Amino acid sequence: MNDRLDKGLSGFIRKIREAWDLQPLLVPLGAILLSFIVGGVLIAMIGVNPFEAYWALLRGMFGSWDRVAGSIARSVPFMGSALALAFAFRAGLFNIGAEGQLLVGGITAAWVGTLTFMYHTPSVIAIPIILIAGAVGGYVWGWIPGVLRARTGAHEVITTIMLNSIALFGVRWLVNSRDPQILRDLTASVPRTKAISPTAVLPTIVDSQPNLHMGLFVMIAVCIVVAFVLRRTTFGFETITVGTNPNAALYAGINVNRIIILAMALSGAFAGIAAASEVSGTNQFFQPGTFAFIGFDGIAIALLARANPIAIIPASLLWGSLLAGAPLMQLEAGVSIDVVRIIQSMVLLFVAADAIVRYVFHIRGEAGHQMESVATEEAES
Amino acid sequence: MTVVDGPVPVLDVRGVTKTFPGVIANEDIDLTLNQGEIHCLLGENGAGKSTLVNVIFGLYKPDKGTVKVRGEEVKFAGVGEAIEHGIGMVHQHFQLIPVFTVAENVILGDELTNGPFLSMNEARRRIRELEEQYGLIVDPDAKVGDLSVGEQQRVELVKALFREADILILDEPTAVLTPGEVDDFFAVVRSLVDQGKSIIFITHKLREVLAVADRITVLRNGRIAGTADPATATQQSLANLMVGRDVVFQVDKGEAHPGEVALRVEDLSVEDERSVMTVNGFSAEVRAGEIFGIAGVEGNGQRELVEAITGMRRKAGGTVEILGHNATKLTPRKIAELGTAHIPEDRNKHGLVGSYSVADNMVLNKYSQAPFARRWVRNTSAVHDEAEELVEQFDIRTPSVDVPIDTLSGGNQQKVIVARELTGDVDLLIVAQPTRGLDVGSIEYIHQQIIDRRDRGAAVLLVSAELDEILSLSDRIGVLYRGRLVGVFDGADATREELGYLMATGSTPDTEEVAS
Ligand SMILES: Nc1ncnc2c1ncn2[C@@H]1O[C@H](COP(=O)(O)OP(=O)(O)OP(=O)(O)O)[C@@H](O)[C@H]1O
Ligand SMILES: [Mg+2]
């Protein structure tokens, strides 16, 4: 009796400790800090006071409620594109096709959103439909490289790059073509689709620049669900097993090919949902240019978050806020937006080369034996 | 303390303590190694042998204690410094790059100390020299991936000697060798000590210890349990010192009561990765309640045979029938669901996921079944409880079931697999090298478990490179040679000599014709 209590108690204490274990955060935070220091040096070199520049950047990000909302709004699509990399990554796959999966998801959502029946469908049904349409589009675009990998062994890095191009030029053609007119809205001055049914529009929360809409909650929910799936479901266990030791997965009776295909397809679906939420909540139509680089930035964000679906939420918020704040820095301090891009790239560089960050900030190896984990690999038995 | 004219210690370990979270791997260990001697380190799985030699080799920093090399106290910051001090180590798992040649592997890492320009000719010349000096026969231009395990081991030795090591640490070097390779290996070891090298040698095979050791130290639970003199020690006395109780070497095994055929393999052929037909026309039957042992020199198709039967590898031809079902085209999952358990040959490759906890590894093949999952959702507390129970039952040494399994000692990792596969209903048990790297106590236990399963009516297919294991467990013995059975014996009648000859040549002494 007492024994059980003891055990329960120690388990509880352990859980609290784990919850407060900030170790895994140290490297990403250190990397961010270090990047800003190096960025500051760069800014100083062009003769601008880096503190002034950063102050402008900070106000650009969070200087007013509207700016806060705008920053968050910029971040929302990144959650989906980062998940697209992270989920596949956990299955041992490197999905760099989020760019294409967003485009296909987005155009599918826009196409479905402009179907005649959608105009008489109430929002409670129309919104889920448009989100699912985006997910299906992305799913298909992820499924293709998954099947190619599982059945023919074609490497997903190469196939997803190609599929990115196919998607880009494909949607451009669909949206640009006037004769035959396919999806282009001929009345609009720029190449874009018609506006989707007003009933399929995700409600706006704050009318900021860009507007913050309910897509935020959709994407946060997706992140949480994915985290749960990975941590607690048998499918998640299978996915991570395939990603860590495919031979053991085969031995354990896991259908490795099925997992590879599903992981790629679902990854695509996450990007697709994000695209649908943008189409539905931000623009109300589809325009290919709005998705440029969101997929590639997703790669960086996912790595910064170490492929952890929950950590993707703050990482995306940081990424989107920086992009949202940069214009004010350019306006007030005359420091180009590109500097923010450079800082972002450096963050990733430092996360990848975490030894530098550990050295500068004297961060010990993870759980105290990172250095030794290298050793154990070499020293089995 | 030092006696004039006495043996010269080249290595002196004093009071070394090394702890990991939750485990004291080494506690207050003293060890000396004299010039030109072979010092054997014995101990149960998890006793701390690897940890101790890793401390000596600079892979781990000791919490307490000192290491002196030739009288000079050292504190290695890494392996590089240990190598500079003339220490070389051959790990149980080789650290070679398969696509490189022997010479390339040997100079790998050395380019740092000897400038960026690798002189391949110079390397070849030195490898040839070592070959002559110690009888280490290797072809410098062979690709490592094409070499046998025994040859790869020689490459590891050459690598250490190339860097002018004169203190050599060998961590379970013989665990993966065939009997013939073991003899060659010991010939090399003897010529090394004859020429003044000093060797720390870890093994679980007591016969080897008695044959080569100058001195024996036994570890138990991280402490020195005692030392033994090879002249007076016996296998029994060493085993007792290791385990701390009497060990029975001869498993007691009652009569087999064979029943229905549980596994029927007919004319099976299987290709390996290089599309070589390594299993070629293999046919055999295993009945419920019997142990069918497959003896053979490693590389005669054992691996492909087991993988094909368990559904992990495509079959090029033939049929497999398991417990009355045609299993030729079934997936590993379906085959397992028929009532098959499988202890794989390569625990790190197939049997375990190194970064997973002990608990998750315990349910690796039943994570989706009740009570470990309810529909889609895993029940981690049921997994945890199951693991704790099995850890207790199989005496697995681990600080908790939540630590990553790759922090366990090699032997304890193997016990996790055995525990997992031997729980639940098993009608057909397929075991490959079940006791590789295990200590005598654990071998005794696992053998008993296998016999127990047989007595409860399971059919057992045992594949092992240890002839002793085959002989002591099997009710019937088949000899595998170039992918097919070249002889089947009654377990009680078979002799080492007879089997050994057949394993090596594929034919019995009186029949001149060689099966091919
Ligand atoms: N890197 C590590 N982290 C945590 N615990 C470890 C680590 N390495 C070893 N241990 C623990 O230290 C103990 C001693 O392990 P060690 O590998 O030295 O045993 P061993 O005597 O070599 O056993 P075996 O014969 O099975 O190889 C074990 O209980 C093991 O779980
Ligand atoms: Mg060991």
Side-chain angles (χ1 to χ4, degrees), chain A residues 7 14 228 231-242 244-255 258 367 369 371-372 374-381, chain B residues 18 20 50 54 59-60 91-93 95 171-172 312 332-333 342 344 348-350 352-353 355-356 360 364-365 367-368 373 376-378 380 388 402 410 413 420-421:
Chain A
K7 228 169 113 186
R14 197 187 63 218
F228 176 82
R231 281 179 73 123
R232 294 301 302 273
T233 66
T234 54
F235 172 64
F237 186 78
E238 290 171 344
T239 304
I240 301 174
T241 306
V242 168
T244 339
N245 184 348
N247 289 308
L250 177 71
Y251 161 85
I254 295 169
N255 187 337
R258 178 179 155 263
H369 61 259
M371 297 314 266
E372 285 187 343
V374 180
T376 25
E377 267 170 45
E378 286 182 37
E380 208 288 323
S381 224
Chain B
K18 172 75 193 169
F20 294 109
S50 296
N54 285 336
L59 276 165
Y60 294 156
H91 300 279
Q92 186 176 357
H93 290 265
Q95 320 279 306
D171 193 353
E172 293 189 47
M312 290 164 60
R333 171 71 48 93
H342 171 203
N348 295 304
K349 187 172 172 200
H350 291 119
L352 301 169
V353 181
S355 53
Y356 280 8
D360 280 343
L364 194 57
N365 53 3
Y367 62 90
S368 58
W376 308 101
V377 181
R378 299 207 326 129
T380 41
E388 288 204 324
D402 300 317
Q413 294 179 2
R420 176 180 74 209
E421 298 301 320

Side-chain angles (χ1 to χ4, degrees), chain B residues 94-106 108-109 142-147 152 155-156 159:
Chain B
F94 304 147
Q95 320 279 306
L96 301 170
I97 298 173
V99 295
F100 281 7
T101 67
V102 170
E104 284 164 347
N105 265 288
V106 166
L108 202 74
K143 263 222 180 65
V144 163
D146 297 338
L147 300 181
Q152 294 191 21
V155 178
E156 285 282 12
K159 222 172 123 180

Side-chain angles (χ1 to χ4, degrees), chain A residues 101 104 108 134-146 163 264-266 268-269:
Chain A
Q101 291 147 9
V104 174
T108 313
V136 168
Y139 186 96
V140 170
W141 220 244
W143 180 85
I144 297 169
L163 284 164
M264 282 303 285
L266 286 174

